[in-house]
Amino acid sequence: MSLLRDTQLDASALYFVSYDGLVNNGSFQQDAIVSYAGYQYATWYTADRSVVVARRKLPGGGWDKAVLPHKLSVNDSHNVISLGISPADGRLHVAMDTHNTKVFYVKSEAGLVSSPASKSWSAARFGAVQRTLDGADLGAITYPQFVLTPERRLQLSYRTGGSGNGTNELAEYEGGSWRKLGKWSSATGSWTGPNGVVSATRNMYLHGLTYGPGGRLHAAFTWREGNTGVLCAPGGLTNHDTGYVYSDDRGRTWRDNTGKVVGTTGGGQVTVSRNLVVDPLSPDHGLMNQESQAIDSAGAPHVVISYVPGRFTQCVTEYAADRTRWGRTFHLVRAANGTWTKQEVPIPPNSTGRTRLVFDRADNAYLVMPTGRILSASEASGWTDWTLVFDRAGMNAFGEVTVDYSRVAGEGVLSMFYQQRSSGTTPSAIRVADFRLG
């Protein structure tokens, strides 16, 4: 891979550290940067907390900015901005500033992203800020993430409820309007920790929601328990196990790794069960939630997880410090017969944060680690020859970064969206680095 360019979008973007992350760069954003019809779009909060949506003509045009009429309401790194595109009417959708609150939502006029060269870029191209999706009231939500079906229909994944007691839900945009599809994961059920303590509530944290070849929707996840008594020490995380489900009907019916139906959206929901686990792990190892997944061209799901292996300690006492010191990254892949293979990545993340997984068009894998370090493994090796291929300390990137998955698929170019390290609340630069893959 090679670095093509590294451009600045904003010299003074909003900066504060919350939950060990930045509000402009959360690995769970889907998406902070996205490409469509020859243009790329990015979004962030400025130093005065305003929401900016910018675009550039690819491959290397200048960035035009539109400041939307909303400012970040709280200092909370959960309250990221996510972008979605509905190809049927050419609109850009913006969901933002929510953590167990009603979402702030804006959509553009029709045709803005499908005919970009013919339309100027300004805030006037966007509608009013809403607290519903055009009347579809989602209630209090967290982690809004846009997903496109194989038919290019836009969906929205989100969580209702809170950490340790929440459910995953779906909404769908068709014919110019949104409708709720309903809940598909359950917050209830009994789970017993290795110390014998029982937890009765939880939430499913997704590593992603990704459509693959043939239209299969893949969801790898970890559970977070509501009862912290399952932990060996109060400074840990109640995340446990890596689970997996999939849907062949656009998220209406959910099946486990063996193909058994385990839940329906808007009906009987996916409930905690050891039958869903594809990689078991107790809640005492600082297992991170919402890491990453991607699907290769053959339709195999790959998952990246990270935690503190037992050879360092069997009891994480402070998840941020222990993960930074001892945390390791692991790559999991599902074979066609349903078996999963797991390998430890030999280069540690040296960070609390999460890693992004990307495939190039030859199915070589790339791990975009915190601070922008990039590792690669070849499809020919079965993704076992992990090598550091990019590490530039001068980027001065803080923590997690996000990537433009759509541009990788369309052009073979990886755009990495990152914010530079600062201190306190001193604003810092937002930048995009472009890499040629393969």
Side-chain angles (χ1 to χ4, degrees), residues 400-422:
E400 296 173 0
V401 301
T402 58
V403 298
D404 182 348
Y405 286 97
S406 50
R407 193 177 184 196
V408 174
E411 299 179 47
V413 174
L414 170 67
S415 289
M416 181 174 71
F417 184 70
Y418 70 97
Q419 186 163 356
Q420 291 186 321
R421 182 180 296 273
S422 185

Side-chain angles (χ1 to χ4, degrees), residues 65-69 107-109 112 120-128:
K65 303 171 187 177
V67 181
L68 302 185
K107 70 178 182 182
S108 76
E109 64 183 46
L112 183 62
S120 61
W121 186 254
S122 73
R125 298 287 188 183
F126 293 82

Side-chain angles (χ1 to χ4, degrees), residues 250-290:
R250 310 307 185 254
R252 272 66 171 180
T253 306
W254 296 94
R255 300 176 182 271
D256 67 11
N257 193 55
T258 68
K260 178 183 176 182
V261 174
V262 292
T264 58
T265 298
Q269 297 146 26
V270 179
T271 304
V272 67
S273 168
R274 301 199 183 275
N275 294 332
L276 304 181
V277 175
V278 297
D279 187 61
L281 188 70
S282 79
D284 297 327
H285 293 274
L287 175 66
M288 183 49 70
N289 48 280
Q290 297 164 291

Side-chain angles (χ1 to χ4, degrees), residues 16-296:
F16 60 85
V17 179
S18 161
Y19 296 92
D20 299 300
L22 303 180
V23 72
N24 284 326
N25 281 90
S27 73
F28 47 81
Q29 282 176 275
Q30 198 168 317
D31 296 281
I33 183 166
V34 63
S35 297
Y36 188 78
Y39 280 70
Q40 189 172 55
Y41 303 86
T43 185
W44 67 95
Y45 295 102
T46 65
D48 71 352
R49 311 176 75 85
S50 296
V51 175
V52 169
V53 181
R55 76 172 184 184
R56 67 171 171 174
K57 186 176 181 180
L58 294 173
W63 289 94
D64 296 319
K65 303 171 187 177
V67 181
L68 302 185
H70 179 73
K71 293 191 175 185
L72 180 68
S73 59
V74 293
N75 282 357
D76 188 335
S77 61
H78 290 84
N79 293 44
V80 299
I81 314 169
S82 292
L83 300 178
I85 290 171
S86 51
D89 58 10
R91 295 182 191 270
L92 183 67
H93 301 254
V94 187
M96 54 194 168
D97 193 10
T98 178
H99 183 193
N100 204 19
T101 56
K102 283 195 171 186
V103 69
F104 291 91
Y105 167 75
V106 177
K107 70 178 182 182
S108 76
E109 64 183 46
L112 183 62
V113 296
S114 54
S115 302
S118 65
K119 295 181 181 291
S120 61
W121 186 254
S122 73
R125 298 287 188 183
F126 293 82
V129 178
Q130 308 175 45
R131 302 306 302 272
T132 67
L133 303 187
D134 293 329
D137 191 349
L138 308 182
I141 73 167
T142 309
Y143 307 125
Q145 300 176 346
F146 292 102
V147 185
L148 273 181
T149 71
E151 299 82 14
R152 313 295 284 169
R153 186 183 306 144
L154 188 64
Q155 295 181 319
L156 182 71
S157 167
Y158 56 96
R159 187 188 77 191
T160 53
S163 173
N165 189 9
T167 57
N168 292 329
E169 300 200 31
L170 283 172
E172 194 166 80
Y173 182 79
E174 188 174 21
S177 63
W178 285 96
R179 66 187 179 101
K180 292 174 62 175
L181 300 182
K183 299 178 180 180
W184 65 271
S185 74
S186 173
T188 60
S190 179
W191 184 83
T192 304
N195 58 4
V197 174
V198 176
S199 179
T201 65
R202 68 202 48 80
N203 72 284
M204 176 194 286
Y205 272 120
L206 296 171
H207 292 306
L209 203 60
T210 314
Y211 281 98
R216 176 164 291 181
L217 180 59
H218 302 265
F221 61 89
T222 181
W223 295 108
R224 175 174 290 183
E225 296 303 316
N227 186 350
T228 57
V230 300
L231 288 169
C232 62
L237 289 173
T238 62
N239 299 342
H240 63 90
D241 299 321
T242 298
Y244 170 76
V245 292
Y246 68 87
S247 172
D248 285 331
D249 58 2
R250 310 307 185 254
R252 272 66 171 180
T253 306
W254 296 94
R255 300 176 182 271
D256 67 11
N257 193 55
T258 68
K260 178 183 176 182
V261 174
V262 292
T264 58
T265 298
Q269 297 146 26
V270 179
T271 304
V272 67
S273 168
R274 301 199 183 275
N275 294 332
L276 304 181
V277 175
V278 297
D279 187 61
L281 188 70
S282 79
D284 297 327
H285 293 274
L287 175 66
M288 183 49 70
N289 48 280
Q290 297 164 291
E291 192 112 18
S292 189
Q293 69 174 32
I295 316 302
D296 68 27

